[in-house]
């Protein structure tokens, strides 16, 4: 991956969230020495969208001249080879298109002076025909005007927007995590904190250990007490995260046990006493010679005892109740 490429992608403005996500993942796959050659399946998986939706965003990026696709074929079999994506900041990016060709005036360094030929099949772009490979009866490029099968738009668009929103939220959480660890998200990060491997590792703390994002930030902050220097990658924090998940699980289990014991005690206590039982209990107190607090028996309870014939008014007066 290239940190310069991802920084360049982040600085692009005016793009829809899903389109910018595609550009970011494309830049994340860029190698400064060899270029950018990800498959569509890989990009679609990274961006969490269908290949059809991915192609629409790639076409938009090419229309905005942020990327340029160089498609090649095997000169012997005419089979497609890996598409190279040339990013807008790279040297050799084609100049502004001309009305005559629709391509850059001189094209890229690989394309200068190379017209499409039956032997190579190079140079084919959307809207122009190319010799199809034996595996395809037509050109591999999608033609929207002749595609009779239309996907419903509402669900894919909603999925793309949700995926983009989740990615943006995760970017904010990841930046907070870096700050909690003493790293600056806008500075050059150590290699172990760059690119999708570090983000995938952090996601495992949420999906695998069940930790919330707030809990991860809390544990990361606590880890600085024993290790003031930023850790060498997310793997160095696995022990802290696993212990936190274990403690949280033990706390949940203990709380559940306490709640269960409380419910059990409540069941063991049985139903509350009836009025007859209460009246008999207090009548025994009145009829005995034991000490009887003045406010122990209410007027309502006196009425219950008298109604059941358990005490007499004279006994109540004698005991100082009425």
């Amino acid at each position: 991956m290239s940190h310069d490429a991802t920084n360049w992608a982040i600085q692009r403005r005016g793009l829809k969230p899903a389109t910018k996500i595609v550009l970011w993942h494309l830049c994340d796959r860029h190698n400064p020495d060899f270029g950018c050659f990800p498959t569509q399946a890989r990009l679609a998986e990274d961006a969490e969208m269908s290949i059809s939706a991915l192609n629409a965003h790639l076409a938009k990026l090419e229309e905005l001249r942020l990327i340029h696709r160089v498609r090649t074929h095997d000169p012997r079999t005419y089979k497609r080879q890996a598409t190279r994506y040339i990013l807008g900041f790279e040297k050799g990016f084609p100049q502004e298109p001309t009305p005559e060709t629709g391509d850059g005036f001189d094209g890229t360094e690989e394309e200068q002076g190379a017209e499409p030929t039956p032997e190579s099949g190079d140079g084919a772009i959307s809207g122009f025909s190319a010799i199809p490979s034996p595996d395809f009866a037509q050109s591999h490029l999608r033609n929207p005007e002749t595609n009779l099968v239309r996907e419903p738009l509402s669900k894919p668009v909603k999925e793309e927007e949700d995926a983009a929103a989740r990615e943006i939220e995760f970017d904010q959480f990841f930046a907070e995590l870096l700050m909690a660890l003493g790293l600056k998200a806008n500075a050059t990060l150590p290699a172990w904190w760059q690119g999708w491997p570090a983000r995938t590792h952090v996601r495992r703390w949420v999906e695998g250990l069940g930790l919330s994002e707030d809990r991860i930030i809390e544990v990361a902050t606590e880890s600085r007490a024993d290790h003031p220097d930023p850790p060498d990658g997310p793997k160095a924090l696995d022990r802290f995260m696993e212990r936190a998940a274990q403690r949280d699980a033990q706390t949940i289990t203990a709380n559940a046990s306490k709640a269960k014991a409380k419910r059990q005690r409540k069941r063991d206590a049985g139903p509350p006493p009836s009025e007859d039982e209460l009246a008999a209990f207090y009548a025994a107190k009145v009829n005995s010679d034991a000490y009887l607090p003045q406010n122990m028996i209410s007027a309502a309870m006196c009425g219950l005892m008298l109604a059941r014939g358990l005490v007499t008014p004279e006994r109540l007066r004698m005991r100082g109740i009425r």
Side-chain angles (χ1 to χ4, degrees):
M1 60 86 64
S2 170
H3 190 62
D4 292 337
T6 53
N7 275 342
W8 173 80
I10 292 172
Q11 293 169 7
R12 300 309 98 194
R13 295 292 182 265
L15 298 176
K16 292 184 177 180
T19 306
K20 191 165 185 176
I21 288 296
V22 172
L23 179 62
W24 190 93
H25 282 293
L26 196 61
C27 291
D28 190 49
R29 294 288 177 181
H30 175 262
N31 185 296
D33 296 324
F34 302 103
C36 186
F37 298 87
T39 64
Q40 287 194 350
R42 169 59 66 184
L43 280 177
E45 181 180 354
D46 288 344
E48 299 184 62
M49 61 179 63
S50 66
I51 290 181
S52 177
L54 173 71
N55 276 313
H57 292 297
L58 290 174
K60 184 63 178 178
L61 291 171
E62 195 164 26
E63 177 186 342
L64 296 173
R65 296 190 55 74
L66 294 175
I67 66 171
H68 178 72
R69 287 179 281 186
V70 180
R71 302 178 179 88
T72 60
H73 297 75
D74 187 290
R76 184 175 58 84
T77 63
Y78 299 113
K79 287 186 177 181
R80 284 189 62 186
Q81 294 178 331
T83 297
R84 177 181 178 183
Y85 295 85
I86 302 178
L87 306 177
F89 71 93
E90 291 187 83
K91 293 181 179 179
F93 191 84
Q95 301 177 15
E96 291 294 330
T98 62
E100 290 77 13
T101 65
D103 286 331
F105 181 75
D106 292 326
T108 63
E109 294 177 0
E110 293 87 347
E111 296 172 319
Q112 290 179 4
E115 294 293 331
T117 63
E119 289 74 19
S120 67
D122 292 341
I125 61 172
S126 181
F128 294 87
S129 61
I131 295 179
S133 71
D135 298 334
F136 301 93
Q138 296 178 352
S139 173
H140 63 268
L141 297 175
R142 181 181 62 176
N143 185 350
E145 299 302 325
T146 59
N147 184 6
L148 300 181
V149 179
R150 303 285 183 179
E151 291 186 18
L153 292 180
S154 58
K155 186 176 180 180
V157 169
K158 183 65 167 60
E159 290 176 352
E160 292 173 25
E161 291 176 350
D162 291 345
R166 288 194 301 269
E167 194 67 25
I168 291 173
E169 290 176 358
F170 185 82
D171 286 344
Q172 295 173 347
F173 155 66
F174 194 75
E176 292 178 8
L177 175 62
L178 295 177
M179 291 178 62
L181 294 170
L183 296 165
K184 295 182 179 180
N186 58 351
T188 301
L189 296 173
W192 287 108
W193 284 104
Q194 295 181 12
W196 63 269
R199 292 166 174 264
T200 302
H201 198 105
V202 171
R203 280 193 171 98
R204 293 196 189 106
W205 297 339
V206 178
E207 299 169 359
L209 298 179
L211 295 174
S212 66
E213 294 180 352
D214 290 340
R215 183 65 169 135
I216 291 173
I217 298 294
E218 180 182 352
V219 175
T221 303
E222 292 174 354
S223 71
R224 299 290 307 283
D226 298 329
H227 303 277
D229 294 330
D232 296 331
K235 190 174 182 180
L237 290 172
D238 281 348
R239 180 166 53 91
F240 293 96
M241 298 301 168
E242 290 168 0
R243 287 179 178 177
Q246 186 177 13
R247 289 196 301 267
D248 292 348
Q250 290 173 348
T251 300
I252 292 173
T253 302
N255 290 339
S257 298
K258 290 179 181 178
K260 183 178 180 180
K262 186 176 181 180
R263 291 193 298 268
Q264 184 65 38
R265 287 195 299 270
K266 191 174 181 180
R267 286 195 297 268
D268 294 343
S274 65
E275 290 184 347
D276 290 339
E277 292 172 335
L278 289 173
F281 172 80
Y282 285 107
K285 296 285 186 182
V286 173
N287 292 326
S288 70
D289 294 330
Y291 171 73
L292 187 66
Q294 186 176 1
N295 298 326
M296 181 179 180
I297 300 176
S298 65
M301 183 54 62
C302 290
L304 291 176
M305 292 187 294
L306 290 171
R308 288 164 174 75
L310 299 175
V311 296
T312 63
E314 291 77 10
R315 183 63 182 173
L316 291 175
R317 285 193 295 272
M318 184 183 300
R319 297 287 281 169
I321 299 173
R322 293 187 63 177

